[in-house]
Amino acid sequence: MNYLSGLINLVTSLVISTIIIYAINFIAGFAGADYSFTNGEVFVMWILMAILVNNCFRK
């Protein structure tokens, strides 16, 4: 059962991190910024944001 809950936490944190990254980019677009990310930059941000979200779940 630990594997299932770990997998659910992983998928949830990856989905939430994707939403957060695109929300920040969307809001910055309204402020006049034009960000373009390479695939590698998006991957690193996605993983780091997922780690942050996962750590917030534990508290």
Side-chain angles (χ1 to χ4, degrees):
M1 206 57 168
N2 272 342
Y3 292 118
L4 184 60
S5 66
L7 182 64
I8 290 171
N9 283 342
L10 174 67
V11 170
T12 305
S13 63
L14 289 175
V15 169
I16 291 173
S17 67
T18 304
I19 292 170
I20 291 171
I21 289 170
Y22 283 109
I24 290 172
N25 196 9
F26 186 71
I27 292 169
F30 277 126
D34 185 26
Y35 294 118
S36 60
F37 302 118
T38 64
N39 290 337
E41 292 169 340
V42 171
F43 181 74
V44 169
M45 283 191 310
W46 186 49
I47 295 300
L48 291 175
M49 188 68 72
I51 292 170
L52 177 68
V53 169
N54 195 11
N55 283 336
C56 291
F57 279 155
R58 292 183 185 175
K59 296 189 181 212

